[in-house]
Amino acid sequence: QWKAMLGYAEDEIGTDVSDFFMRLHPDDAGPVREGIVRHLKGEAGMFRAEVRLRCRDGSYRWILDQGRVVSRDARGRALRMIGTHTDVTRLRADQEDLRMLWLALEQSPNSVVVTDTDGRIEYVNDAASTISGYRREELMGRNPRILSAGKTPLATYQAMWAALGRGEVWKGELLNRRRSGEEYLEFMLISPVRQADGRLTHYLAIKEDITERKRIGQELDRHRHRLEELVAERTAELAAARHAAEVANQAKSAFLANMSHEIRTPMNAIVGLTHLLRTSGPTEEQARRLEGIDTAVRFLLSIINDVLDLSKIEAGRLELEHTEFSPAEVLASVRDLVAEQAAAKGLALELEDDGLPQAVRGDPTRLRQALLNFAVNAIKFTEHGRVRLRGRVLQRQADRLSLHFEVEDTGIGIAPEHQQRIFEPFEQADASTTRRYGGTGLG
């Protein structure tokens, strides 16, 4: 049987003790020899050891080796031994599994409690003792109700026992009390434990202390409710502010509508009087100046019409004109509007419009407005030299043109590092220019 246990046939292995030692694992040979020698000398009543023996296929099996001397000679020397070899390989594996399971239970951060079917506690792990405050010996044999704070609804217990009675797993929360009297909330999972034949023998409870988690959750709920209240308050405030802004905007629109009428009335009068003067036989110089007045007034009226039409501006629907005009005439009109200012400072005012088409379709008002702003600035910031208005064709494509307009001056200029900033509303390259030259920096 010993040979068969190691995988050998009857005639493949001898029965001398040396055959045993030859098959010992190298790590076990020394301790086995020492144990046998001690027993033979009478220092140990029995020899017992778990050793590894090499099988025929080269693998090792764990063997429980037990034996004792059964006869000695007159001088006490051992003559005969009897003993047994038991294969404990599977037993050791099961013991290792049990050891790992026990370590897992003992080191689990959650409480683990096992009771019999009558509810008497048969096992608790370290966490159950630590969390409850009771020593193990104080819990063993007791009913888990020792932990109850008496505040869990009866319906919870009824649901628990109903589920367990059906052989089902129950999950829920119980309010318990520690040995110190402090109450704590546990979430637990209780499951029936059945033997191989189906008999119900125990209940297993895995419990987690969720007191702090619940407290944090409740605190977060309070913060969330408060946040919702704040959002509601801010929403109401914003609605009130929006209503006030709408009221103010309506008042502004009404004011500007009235102002539009008041401004247009004298402007139309100026246009009419200018026309009368131009038809009353003025001199050539007077006619030229009257034409400049008429151009400026009509340009101002077009700007007023756009600025005061806030309904389109606020709706984002301000559209460019699409009318026929002469680009050269727009340049010339801008020159005429700033000619007096340039002459007052002794600046040469030049115009270059070679190559511009006779007529295009577009928005002459916007073009004139932009060029006029540039020209006025050029004159403002130029003390000596000239200001040049220039227009040229960049590209021709069938019935479309790309035109380039510019105003060039010999004034103070703008440093490169400031050129990206000056087109922002109310920005100037250098605040000191405001003190010297005036202006608000409208981009």
Side-chain angles (χ1 to χ4, degrees):
Q1 184 63 29
W2 182 76
K3 296 175 183 179
M5 182 173 63
L6 299 180
Y8 291 96
E10 179 67 26
D11 58 350
E12 286 185 308
I13 187 172
T15 56
D16 189 81
V17 71
S18 61
D19 293 307
F20 165 72
F21 278 105
M22 285 175 58
R23 284 159 181 79
L24 269 175
H25 191 281
D27 294 342
D28 298 336
V32 167
R33 285 190 175 90
E34 292 176 4
I36 291 178
V37 168
R38 290 180 64 246
H39 177 62
L40 293 179
K41 290 180 178 180
E43 296 175 1
M46 187 172 183
F47 170 75
R48 187 179 189 279
E50 289 189 11
V51 299
R52 285 162 289 185
L53 289 183
R54 188 176 69 252
C55 299
R56 188 177 188 277
D57 62 5
S59 63
Y60 282 91
R61 300 194 70 80
W62 280 99
I63 306 298
L64 173 60
D65 183 3
Q66 301 181 98
R68 64 183 177 86
V69 174
V70 295
S71 65
R72 297 178 183 270
D73 61 14
R75 291 185 295 177
R77 289 181 302 177
L79 296 177
R80 184 181 296 275
M81 289 183 70
I82 64 171
T84 60
H85 278 184
T86 306
D87 186 346
V88 294
T89 305
R90 179 60 184 271
L91 177 62
R92 286 181 64 95
D94 291 344
Q95 289 174 338
E96 180 62 19
D97 289 343
L98 287 173
R99 188 182 72 86
M100 293 302 299
L101 177 60
W102 182 82
L103 288 175
L105 290 175
E106 286 300 302
Q107 297 177 20
S108 171
N110 293 331
S111 298
V112 178
V113 178
V114 177
T115 73
D116 62 17
T117 53
D118 293 327
R120 289 185 294 269
I121 296 175
E122 294 188 357
Y123 170 81
V124 294
N125 66 347
D126 281 345
S129 176
T130 301
I131 293 173
S132 68
Y134 288 92
R135 299 190 305 274
R136 287 187 188 230
E137 54 268 27
E138 292 178 307
L139 293 172
M140 299 299 289
R142 304 288 297 276
N143 190 289
R145 70 171 65 96
I146 187 178
L147 303 176
S148 175
K151 296 182 179 180
T152 301
L154 179 60
T156 302
Y157 289 110
Q158 291 173 339
M160 178 184 72
W161 285 113
L164 295 177
R166 295 189 298 270
E168 300 173 356
V169 175
W170 179 82
K171 293 185 288 186
E173 297 177 2
L174 298 181
L175 185 61
N176 289 333
R177 180 180 288 113
R178 308 186 205 276
R179 195 175 191 277
S180 63
E182 176 190 4
E183 293 181 354
Y184 66 106
L185 189 64
E186 281 191 312
F187 173 79
M188 59 181 62
L189 185 150
I190 304 177
S191 57
V193 178
R194 297 183 182 277
Q195 299 302 317
D197 59 4
R199 288 182 301 111
L200 175 64
T201 58
H202 295 84
Y203 293 111
L204 169 66
I206 300 175
K207 308 188 294 180
E208 179 186 3
D209 183 352
I210 60 172
T211 309
E212 183 64 14
R213 192 170 71 190
K214 276 283 189 178
R215 185 193 65 79
I216 294 174
Q218 292 169 353
E219 188 72 18
L220 288 175
D221 283 341
R222 286 195 294 272
H223 285 302
R224 178 174 58 81
H225 291 318
R226 178 55 183 157
L227 182 59
E228 290 174 351
E229 292 174 358
L230 289 174
V231 170
E233 293 174 5
R234 296 296 183 269
T235 302
E237 292 172 359
L238 289 173
R242 180 179 179 180
H243 176 70
E246 290 173 349
V247 171
N249 188 58
Q250 292 171 359
K252 174 196 67 178
S253 299
F255 167 75
L256 289 177
N258 291 330
M259 188 178 73
S260 171
H261 174 75
E262 298 299 328
I263 293 176
R264 284 192 182 96
T265 299
M267 293 298 292
N268 287 325
I270 294 173
V271 171
L273 292 172
T274 302
H275 175 71
L276 291 175
L277 288 173
R278 293 176 66 183
T279 59
S280 60
T283 64
E284 183 178 344
E285 178 66 18
Q286 290 173 336
R288 186 179 64 79
R289 291 180 178 179
L290 287 171
E291 182 179 355
I293 293 173
D294 184 68
T295 300
V297 171
R298 292 183 185 277
F299 176 59
L300 183 57
L301 275 174
S302 67
I303 293 176
I304 291 172
N305 288 335
D306 288 336
V307 171
L308 297 180
D309 193 4
L310 289 181
S311 61
K312 288 185 179 180
I313 295 175
E314 291 170 349
R317 298 183 59 185
L318 186 63
E319 298 177 356
L320 297 178
E321 296 179 25
H322 195 66
T323 59
E324 187 172 310
F325 71 97
S326 168
E329 289 181 3
V330 171
L331 275 175
S333 67
V334 172
R335 178 197 58 191
D336 293 342
L337 288 171
V338 298
E340 292 294 336
Q341 298 176 42
K345 297 186 69 173
L347 301 176
L349 189 59
E350 302 173 359
L351 179 65
E352 293 182 11
D353 58 4
D354 294 343
L356 285 178
Q358 291 299 315
V360 296
R361 293 188 65 81
D363 191 335
T365 301
R366 302 285 178 261
L367 176 59
R368 183 181 294 108
Q369 185 177 355
L371 289 173
L372 182 59
N373 286 337
F374 284 138
V376 170
N377 265 351
I379 294 172
K380 179 193 293 187
F381 292 103
T382 302
E383 296 297 332
H384 308 285
R386 59 172 172 74
V387 172
R388 178 179 293 137
L389 309 178
R390 183 184 293 118
R392 56 192 172 90
V393 177
L394 279 184
Q395 189 177 21
R396 294 178 184 268
Q397 289 181 334
D399 61 344
R400 297 186 65 82
L401 291 173
S402 293
L403 303 182
H404 180 91
F405 296 91
E406 62 189 21
V407 178
E408 182 185 30
D409 63 69
T410 57
I412 62 176
I414 301 171
E417 62 269 21
H418 297 313
Q419 290 179 9
Q420 295 301 316
R421 187 163 57 88
I422 61 171
F423 292 99
E424 295 297 326
F426 303 101
E427 282 282 344
Q428 289 190 334
D430 184 356
S432 63
T433 61
T434 303
R435 294 190 294 271
R436 180 176 177 186
Y437 296 100
T440 56
L442 282 172

